[in-house]
Structures are given as C-alpha cells and as structure tokens.
C-alpha cells in the first residue's frame, strides 16, 4: 500500500523553478525518522488540471520507493524509470512527465532502491531485482484502479523495462531509451583494466568520482549479477503483442548506437528511432525525445481502444 503524505503546511516557492513553479498545497509527513513532502500543484504544461502527488510504495523487500505521481485524472498511467546512478529528478524523466501531462496522460516517476530518496543500498547490478521493484509499482497502480499503459526506461532503466516485459507480460507498451544490449560492455570503462582479477582478489572495487573522492562500491556479487544478465535472451521472450520502441542517439558515447540495432533485430514487435546528433542523455534533444515517446504512447493507447 502506498503512503499518501499528509498534514497541511503552507509556504511559498520560487516561481522560477521548472518542476515546482506554483505550489498550491504542501503536506509534511514523518515516517520512521524521515521527513517527506507531498505536493499538489499545476505543471508548467498545456494541461493545468494535472497535479503532482508524492507517494511511497513498498517493494517486496519492505524498502520504501519514493515517487511523484503526475495525475491527469485518467485511469491510464505511464511509469518512468531512471538510469544508472540517477533518480526520478533526471531531466529526461521530469521532461517526459511534463510532456505526457500536456497530452493528458498521467505518469509516475520514482527512485529505485539506493537511489534518490528511496530506501536500500546502491547496487551495481540488480537488473532483475529492479524489474521486480518495477512490478511492485505497476501492481500498486493496478490495484488503485489505474491501467499501466506503458513503461519507459532510460539507460539502465531501459534494460529494466525490457526485462520486465520478458518476465511479467502485463504491460503492452514498452519504451527503451539508450538501453544497453550487451551488459559486458562499458564495464572496463568504469572499473578499469583487469577488473575481474582485481575484484576477485579484493572482493570489491571502489569507483572514484572524476573530481576525486569515493563514488560507489562494486562488489563481486553485483558485478557477476550484471555480467550474467542476458538481454538477448530476455528480448526474445518479449511477447509479440507487446509494442516496443527503442530510441537512441547517434552520438551516444556511453552506450553505442549499435546496441539499439541489436534490439531491433531480436524483439518481435519493435520500432527503432535514432535521433541524429543526440548523446546518451539526449541533452540537446529533449523536445525531440519527448515528441517521439509521447506520440508512440498515444498511438498505442488508440490501438488499445480499437
């Protein structure tokens, strides 16, 4: 059961903020020594009826997953999943939520365990576990009289939504943004050469920030979890009735665009859209990305009503 945070408290916000331009109500809730805010507000979109609510939804491990519901008042809802070492506040998720709101479509963006405001510790792998976390989210909304019409994931989140589709098969529209096809790729870039020998000797590798200082720890278990996750096998198991869109930037230097073409080869019902010149985060192409994703979801909704 989700926690809808309450207890009225009024204050003024900076009207220049993109996400929270005007706050009409705010609620303060203390839960196990955590202070959390629940906002009701109009989004900076063409649909002023969309409100935002802060929700806490537990996963099957009892960890509290914190998210923001963008409520258009309709049953259909899209779940937005962030990428590696990111959060629900990523530019991509915030902008997609706003674009969906403009189209009158509800969405929910949340933090996976160990990221953002959610409970738990950060794990380098955990792709399948995050697919199960996503299931906890979708089940909450199914039980709350919503219809989860699509799941969208960026980067690692792109892999997670595809794994979800291969396992649960209860959401018929899936959007993979910059997801990695070969999870053995990119490991050496993060962990350095001879990473397997070093992690077997030490049991872990501490990754440093580019600016210096500790960033995160990779354990042998979490590394093997990632290396053993087979996106090719999972992609083949996605139901042919599930419509999958992969969007990738041609100038992505984090996950090569070739990975997108590999997904296109094996996923049964697949559409590929390459955004020319876009990087991994679509930094200079957010408007194009939002248009492509929203149009695909709208098309899917129309097909589902036929």
């Amino acid at each position: 059961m989700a926690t809808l945070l309450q207890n009225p408290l009024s204050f003024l916000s900076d009207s220049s903020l993109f996400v929270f331009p005007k706050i009409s109500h705010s609620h303060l809730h203390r839960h196990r020594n955590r202070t959390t805010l629940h906002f009701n507000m109009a989004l900076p979109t063409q649909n002023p009826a969309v409100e935002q609510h802060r929700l806490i939804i537990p996963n099957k491990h009892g960890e509290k997953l914190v998210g923001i519901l963008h409520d258009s008042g309709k049953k259909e809802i899209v779940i937005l999943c962030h990428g590696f070492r990111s959060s629900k506040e990523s530019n991509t998720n915030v902008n997609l939520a706003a674009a969906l709101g403009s189209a009158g479509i509800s969405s929910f963006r949340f933090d996976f365990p160990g990221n953002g405001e959610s409970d738990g510790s950060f794990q380098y792998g955990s792709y399948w576990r995050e697919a199960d976390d996503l299931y906890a989210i979708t089940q909450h909304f199914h039980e709350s009289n919503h219809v989860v019409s699509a799941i969208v994931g960026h980067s690692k989140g792109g892999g997670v939504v595809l794994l979800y589709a291969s396992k649960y098969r209860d959401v018929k529209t899936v959007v993979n943004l910059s997801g990695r096809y070969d999870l053995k790729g990119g490991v050496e870039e993060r962990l350095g050469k001879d990473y397997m020998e070093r992690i077997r000797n030490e049991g872990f590798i501490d990754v440093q920030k580019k600016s210096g200082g500790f960033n995160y720890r990779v354990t042998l278990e979490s590394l093997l979890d990632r290396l053993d996750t087979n996106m090719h096998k999972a992609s083949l198991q996605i139901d042919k009735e599930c419509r999958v869109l992969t969007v990738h930037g041609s100038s992505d230097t984090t996950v090569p665009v070739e990975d997108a073409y590999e997904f296109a080869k094996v996923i049964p019902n697949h559409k590929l859209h390459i955004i020319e010149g876009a990087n991994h985060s679509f930094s200079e192409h957010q408007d194009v990305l939002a248009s492509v994703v929203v149009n695909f979801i709208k098309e899917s909704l129309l097909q589902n009503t036929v």
Side-chain angles (χ1 to χ4, degrees), residues 58-281:
N59 64 12
K60 68 179 184 180
H61 305 285
E63 296 165 331
K64 294 180 286 294
L65 307 179
V66 181
I68 303 294
L69 170 64
H70 298 247
D71 188 1
S72 70
K74 298 180 180 179
K75 285 187 176 182
E76 293 79 14
I77 189 169
V78 176
I79 311 299
L80 304 173
C81 303
H82 66 77
F84 182 79
R85 299 288 289 170
S86 186
S87 77
K88 64 183 180 299
E89 303 300 336
S90 69
N91 286 338
T92 296
N93 278 358
V94 170
N95 291 338
L96 284 176
L100 288 164
S102 287
I105 301 171
S106 298
S107 64
F108 182 71
R109 50 188 173 90
F110 72 100
D111 296 324
F112 282 109
N115 295 273
E117 297 179 278
S118 290
D119 285 350
S121 58
F122 169 77
Q123 299 294 329
Y124 182 68
S126 296
Y127 282 75
W128 282 109
R129 175 173 167 149
E130 290 189 1
D132 291 339
D133 294 328
L134 177 55
Y135 182 71
I137 299 294
T138 62
Q139 289 312 289
H140 164 76
F141 285 106
H142 284 314
E143 294 166 4
S144 303
N145 201 32
H146 285 82
V147 176
V148 178
S149 53
I151 50 177
V152 181
H154 174 247
S155 193
K156 184 183 181 184
V160 169
V161 297
L162 293 173
L163 293 176
Y164 180 100
S166 74
K167 181 176 181 178
Y168 292 106
R169 300 187 170 201
D170 60 348
V171 178
K172 298 304 181 184
T173 302
V174 175
V175 180
N176 159 37
L177 310 176
S178 307
R180 190 181 291 278
Y181 180 80
D182 180 7
L183 293 181
K184 295 179 176 63
V187 177
E188 184 173 302
E189 289 83 347
R190 291 188 187 275
L191 305 186
K193 294 182 178 180
D194 304 320
Y195 63 85
M196 187 57 74
E197 179 181 351
R198 290 187 291 117
I199 202 168
R200 287 193 184 279
N201 289 336
E202 300 293 332
F204 62 88
I205 293 175
D206 285 341
V207 178
Q208 305 298 311
K209 297 178 181 178
K210 291 182 179 180
S211 58
F214 176 78
N215 192 2
Y216 58 89
R217 173 166 289 184
V218 179
T219 63
L220 176 60
E221 180 183 10
S222 66
L223 174 60
L224 293 177
D225 179 273
R226 170 173 170 149
L227 297 178
D228 290 340
T229 301
N230 190 328
M231 294 304 303
H232 175 82
K233 181 178 179 181
S235 296
L236 290 172
Q237 294 173 344
I238 296 175
D239 190 87
K240 65 180 180 180
E241 298 301 320
C242 179
R243 301 181 72 234
V244 178
L245 169 67
T246 290
V247 186
H248 215 105
S250 67
S251 299
D252 190 336
T253 58
T254 303
V255 177
V257 69
E258 287 77 15
D259 283 34
Y261 289 101
E262 293 301 318
F263 283 123
K265 291 177 185 177
V266 298
I267 296 176
N269 188 354
H270 186 273
K271 181 178 181 179
L272 176 62
H273 189 104
I274 304 299
I275 299 181
E276 291 298 324
N279 62 14
H280 185 64
S281 299

